[in-house]
Amino acid sequence: MPTVSVGRDRLFAALGRTYTQEEFEEVCFSFGIELDDVTTEKAIIRKEKHLDDDAVDEDEEVIYKIEVPANRYDLLCLEGLAQALRVFSREEEVPTYKLANISKESMIKMHVKPETSSIRPHVVCAVLRGVTFTEASYNSFIDLQDKLHQNICRRRTLVAIGTHDLDTLQAPFTYEALPPSSINFVPLKQAKNFRADELMEFYRSDLKLKKFLHIIENSPVFPVLYDNNRTVLSLPPIINGAHSAITLKTKNVFIECTATDLTKAKIVLNTIVTAFSAYCERKFEIEPIEVIYSDGKSYIYPDLSIYNMDVSLSYVNGTIGVSLEAEEVTDLLNRMQLRAEQSVSGDITVFVPPTRSDVLHPCDVMEDVAIAYGYNNIPKRKPASLKPLALNEITDRIKLEIAMDGFTEVLTFILGSWRENFAMLNRKDDKSKAVVVGNPRSSDFELVRTSLMPGVLKTVGHNKDHPKPIKIFEVGDIALLDEKKDVGASNRRQLAALFCGASSGFELIHGLVDRVMESIGAAFVPIGDDSGYFIKPSDEPEFLPRRQASIIYKGKNIGTFGIVHPEVLINFDIPDPCSFAELNIESLL
């Protein structure tokens, strides 16, 4: 979950009152967020630069680090967070955001050239007029852009934000896509003029910007925004131009978001303008921009329209487990910045504002009601049915039986490597079983395990100095390719048990298998009798020849047990003999 760092004193000033740390933690908990850490500016600098206490001369400003939900983009800055908490505390009404009342002819125009469709086809824009920045609000404005870039913008691949001092530019604007060699401008925080292709090389050594170069560097054309004087506003998603850089003195802010995903671009633009329109001369008013495409279609941004959602009162009450009247539900929703009223049918009509892009379904409305009501206030009740699934029921029964035999349960990784799953077990991979991870981050996690054996043997190998004997077991899922399933694979619940000691302990593992089968009511029968279970010789490469057996239950082979092959033990760095059993639990149902 994202963490927002805000100055405590500035936050309390925005909230209109002070809190003790315990009181503020309670407020955060009630609102569904969490005070994650309390630190100071000095401590943060010391940690980043590895300095001693005496080496930093900074004010001891207390910093609150607050965890917010990943889909609440409106809470990623102090302005949005403070406003949400004021509304939640009933100290402020839900703001009404509106577009400036100007004619379409008077609107600033953004013309989009057709070439942009090959790289970043969408652009949305807006203007904040009469903004008054302080150093703190200016830093918050920049920080919000960084957080959005990391979050919903997916590191600028989906959306890139550009903010400019409108008074340094001349409308109308154009959004184009040109060969890198034909784009020249002075980038932000530089004094030299660069061609776009030179800029790619220049920023390869920049720790912050080099990670965004891959988004456009291999494209024959780069996206670029110009004003009417052919002054470059920005080269998205890399860098803005120095000419239109905003400062503390900036009064009119032009915001543009280029994107490959139009929906997310609208959300990003709405998040910025709604949060910082509070600093405009006309509070909560945003000036719209007309975006005109080459096919003649035009759109007005930002889209601050409110959409309505009808939510059943019985759905809200039934899901939460409370009995609230419609008036109570509407009051709770108003505290969560969702205007609501009772409809003619007796249900709830919710008016979702542009700040709440996370509200997509009645379940989101129900969740907000539950948060505002207070999770701790919801009465506890037992579910209508507590009957477990048959597979889980038999799994728990088997676990209990094995634990009473003195075995300790282990839990190992579901993902593993090709080598551990096949070569180290003397097995050959015929490509018919293993589910492969398409883009593994490490060679240790290349596929989904087809057996519990590698994980159990690795556990013993890492604990070989543990007093003997070692008696462990695991119950877990494996995955096997299965053409009959719509996803091409199926899970199977397996049981594995291992004995490691001075002797192989084959008879102990054999006895454990008998005990497991007895616990489910399976009788031992002669070979060929399909009414119960029996064992017969097997020939698996991970076990010693003639020291292994297949477990046959109702005519099906459900597992194997035996003495682990010495070569396998060497592969897993195990110096002592071991016996191992693995069987399919689902086949016992």
Side-chain angles (χ1 to χ4, degrees):
M1 291 172 65
T3 301
V4 182
S5 297
V6 296
R8 180 197 62 187
D9 295 341
R10 183 167 174 249
L11 176 60
F12 288 174
L15 293 176
R17 60 160 294 185
T18 59
Y19 297 86
T20 65
Q21 184 175 324
E22 292 74 17
E23 289 173 339
F24 188 71
E25 285 177 342
E26 183 62 31
V27 170
C28 289
F29 179 80
S30 299
F31 184 61
I33 58 180
E34 181 181 357
L35 180 59
D36 184 56
D37 189 20
V38 179
T39 183
T40 64
E41 194 72 26
K42 183 176 180 180
I44 294 174
I45 295 174
R46 186 174 66 248
K47 183 177 180 180
E48 289 177 349
K49 298 184 177 181
H50 307 287
L51 299 176
D52 297 328
D53 286 347
D54 298 334
V56 182
D57 185 18
E58 293 286 335
D59 293 334
E60 283 289 279
E61 181 186 13
V62 177
I63 303 296
Y64 276 179
K65 292 189 174 184
I66 302 171
E67 251 188 27
V68 301
N71 60 349
R72 287 296 301 270
Y73 312 115
D74 58 311
L75 303 181
L76 289 176
C77 61
L78 179 143
E79 288 73 14
L81 184 63
Q83 180 178 282
L85 290 175
R86 288 197 303 269
V87 174
F88 182 74
S89 302
R90 295 190 175 93
E91 296 174 3
E92 183 179 311
E93 294 295 322
V94 181
T96 299
Y97 303 98
K98 60 182 179 179
L99 297 179
N101 186 21
I102 57 176
S103 66
K104 195 172 182 180
E105 291 74 21
S106 302
M107 286 183 192
I108 294 174
K109 306 292 192 292
M110 170 68 77
H111 297 276
V112 182
K113 296 298 179 69
E115 295 80 12
T116 58
S117 62
S118 65
I119 184 164
R120 293 178 84 82
H122 308 293
V123 62
V124 296
C125 314
V127 173
L128 295 177
R129 289 277 184 187
V131 176
T132 300
F133 280 127
T134 63
E135 185 175 357
S137 61
Y138 175 84
N139 291 337
S140 181
F141 186 62
I142 301 301
D143 188 53
L144 174 61
Q145 295 174 55
D146 289 339
K147 283 187 166 57
L148 290 170
H149 275 148
Q150 293 298 315
N151 193 329
I152 185 175
C153 299
R154 295 295 184 268
R155 297 187 178 183
R156 307 190 190 183
T157 56
L158 300 182
V159 185
I161 308 163
T163 53
H164 312 276
D165 188 333
L166 183 60
D167 295 331
T168 66
L169 301 169
Q170 181 64 49
F173 304 102
T174 58
Y175 176 41
E176 306 177 22
L178 301 173
S181 58
S182 64
I183 302 172
N184 290 271
F185 71 105
V186 179
L188 192 65
K189 298 181 180 179
Q190 301 296 327
K192 176 185 173 183
N193 194 70
F194 287 86
R195 281 203 328 261
D197 50 353
E198 296 173 339
L199 207 56
M200 294 294 109
E201 294 301 321
F202 179 74
Y203 283 131
R204 287 193 196 284
S205 59
D206 189 288
L207 293 178
K208 181 179 180 181
L209 295 178
K210 68 178 181 180
K211 55 191 173 186
F212 307 121
L213 301 181
H214 70 93
I215 302 173
I216 63 169
E217 65 178 343
N218 295 322
S219 172
V221 292
F222 286 2
V224 60
L225 290 102
Y226 289 102
D227 76 348
N228 196 43
N229 297 325
R230 301 301 288 175
T231 300
V232 173
L233 278 70
S234 66
L235 181 75
I238 309 302
I239 193 74
N240 290 343
H243 179 84
S244 58
I246 64 171
T247 67
L248 287 174
K249 297 180 180 180
T250 297
K251 286 297 181 184
N252 301 306
V253 181
F254 176 68
I255 305 167
E256 43 85 5
C257 300
T258 58
T260 57
D261 187 317
L262 181 58
T263 300
K264 287 183 170 54
K266 292 179 181 179
I267 293 172
V268 168
L269 183 64
N270 284 351
T271 301
I272 295 174
V273 298
T274 53
F276 286 88
S277 59
Y279 296 121
C280 290
E281 187 176 356
R282 295 183 177 179
K283 200 171 183 181
F284 303 132
E285 182 178 279
I286 300 100
E287 182 177 321
I289 302 290
E290 183 181 9
V291 177
I292 305 171
Y293 286 85
S294 57
D295 59 3
K297 294 180 179 178
S298 70
Y299 304 89
I300 306 297
Y301 296 110
D303 181 7
L304 300 179
S305 58
I306 295 173
Y307 74 91
N308 302 347
M309 180 187 296
D310 291 326
V311 181
S312 168
L313 180 61
S314 60
Y315 168 76
V316 172
N317 282 330
T319 307
I320 299 175
V322 294
S323 298
L324 298 175
E325 298 296 331
E327 293 80 4
E328 296 176 278
V329 172
T330 56
D331 179 62
L332 293 173
L333 288 173
N334 281 315
R335 295 182 64 195
M336 299 300 292
Q337 294 181 286
L338 295 175
R339 285 195 178 91
E341 62 183 32
Q342 186 175 356
S343 63
V344 177
S345 63
D347 290 329
I348 307 298
T349 300
V350 181
F351 304 93
V352 183
T355 54
R356 293 300 307 274
S357 60
D358 59 300
V359 179
L360 304 173
H361 184 275
C363 69
D364 300 311
V365 176
M366 175 275 299
E367 181 185 25
D368 271 10
V369 174
I371 292 172
Y373 182 77
Y375 284 123
N376 287 343
N377 298 325
I378 298 173
K380 296 178 181 179
R381 60 176 182 174
K382 291 185 178 180
S385 174
L386 294 176
K387 186 177 181 181
L389 295 174
L391 179 59
N392 291 337
E393 195 170 23
I394 193 172
T395 296
D396 292 340
R397 190 194 318 166
I398 289 173
K399 282 184 178 182
L400 183 60
E401 290 290 343
I402 299 177
M404 288 192 295
D405 282 343
F407 284 73
T408 301
E409 185 176 10
V410 298
L411 184 66
T412 63
F413 288 123
I414 292 176
L415 299 181
S417 68
W418 287 98
R419 186 165 171 268
E420 292 169 353
N421 202 74
F422 294 106
M424 291 175 67
L425 296 179
N426 292 340
R427 296 174 178 171
K428 291 184 179 180
D429 178 19
D430 59 4
K431 310 296 183 182
S432 66
K433 293 182 179 180
V435 177
V436 181
V437 177
N439 186 25
R441 297 293 298 270
S442 165
S443 60
D444 293 330
F445 306 107
E446 297 173 314
L447 48 75
V448 185
R449 62 187 179 187
T450 61
S451 166
L452 301 181
M453 192 173 191
V456 172
L457 290 176
K458 282 177 68 177
T459 301
V460 176
H462 288 302
N463 293 275
K464 55 181 175 288
D465 294 331
H466 192 278
K468 302 300 184 295
I470 296 175
K471 299 165 68 177
I472 58 176
F473 78 98
E474 179 174 11
V475 176
D477 286 357
I478 64 170
L480 299 175
L481 294 176
D482 188 348
E483 295 180 354
K484 296 179 181 179
K485 301 292 184 181
D486 56 351
V487 295
S490 60
N491 287 2
R492 296 188 186 179
R493 184 72 55 83
Q494 299 281 108
L495 161 67
L498 179 139
F499 177 92
C500 177
S503 62
S504 67
F506 178 80
E507 68 283 358
L508 294 173
I509 287 295
H510 188 176
L512 182 67
V513 171
D514 287 344
R515 180 64 189 136
V516 169
M517 301 305 291
E518 181 184 353
S519 70
I520 62 151
F524 190 84
V525 296
I527 293 179
D529 187 341
D530 291 345
S531 63
Y533 86 99
F534 57 86
I535 61 173
K536 68 176 185 179
S538 65
D539 187 23
E540 300 296 337
E542 60 266 32
F543 296 109
L544 273 175
R546 296 185 297 277
R547 295 295 184 274
Q548 55 179 293
S550 296
I551 306 168
I552 311 299
Y553 178 60
K554 293 186 176 179
K556 295 181 180 179
N557 187 338
I558 66 167
T560 312
F561 68 93
I563 301 175
V564 182
H565 200 288
E567 291 181 4
V568 174
L569 296 177
I570 292 172
N571 291 337
F572 286 92
D573 194 23
I574 300 174
D576 301 294
C578 298
S579 288
F580 178 85
E582 183 168 357
L583 57 91
N584 178 241
I585 292 178
E586 295 183 34
S587 60
L588 303 177
L589 292 174

